Amino acid sequence: MRAEVVRRFHDAHEALYGYCYRDDPRHPVEWVNLRVSGIGPIERPRPAERPPGDGDPSRARTGTRAVHFDAWEEAAVYRREKLAPGDTVEGPAVIEEFGSTLPLHPGFTAALDGHGNLVVTR
């Protein structure tokens, strides 16, 4: 199969550019990308649900900091990875994780669902 691919590469290169290095060992063919597609029925995996917490998000709280929503105010700060399903955080708050920060405005709540999604409601 490898020899067939190399032969086709040289044929295509020669047709497109008018030359090739088919017989020159100083210029070997190098595969940079290889893509494969498969078609057929699959059974989609079901995402596992995380075990529920006790509904108390204080285990994830790291302190407070000043945040400007409509005015400056102290907001509780939480680590998202320490929240558990069933935990509800009430704004004003900040939920932090690697690569993302969720400012939770006053009057909003964020609840962690069974799959770890934050569901924000007013």
Side-chain angles (χ1 to χ4, degrees):
M1 176 178 163
R2 180 180 169 277
E4 176 68 12
V5 171
V6 169
R7 184 189 66 73
R8 287 184 183 195
F9 169 80
H10 286 300
D11 291 347
H13 191 278
E14 191 168 21
L16 188 60
Y17 299 108
Y19 70 96
C20 72
Y21 294 111
R22 183 183 319 270
D23 299 319
D24 189 340
R26 295 176 301 158
H27 300 282
V29 174
E30 177 184 0
W31 267 346
V32 176
N33 291 312
L34 177 64
R35 294 189 179 112
V36 178
S37 296
I39 299 172
I42 62 168
E43 187 173 321
R44 300 206 182 272
R46 290 180 169 257
E49 289 205 28
R50 296 172 52 186
D54 57 10
D56 180 7
S58 65
R59 83 181 83 68
R61 190 170 171 165
T62 61
T64 64
R65 74 171 182 226
V67 179
H68 191 275
F69 292 107
D70 291 322
W72 287 102
E73 56 189 292
E74 284 296 305
V77 180
Y78 296 87
R79 293 299 306 165
R80 182 173 177 175
E81 67 273 9
K82 292 184 178 179
L83 293 171
D87 289 350
T88 300
V89 175
E90 295 186 14
V94 176
I95 301 173
E96 300 177 328
E97 65 181 314
F98 179 79
S100 180
T101 300
L102 172 68
L104 192 61
H105 289 248
F108 286 77
T109 60
L112 204 74
D113 72 9
H115 298 289
N117 300 301
L118 284 170
V119 180
V120 178
T121 57
R122 186 172 204 164

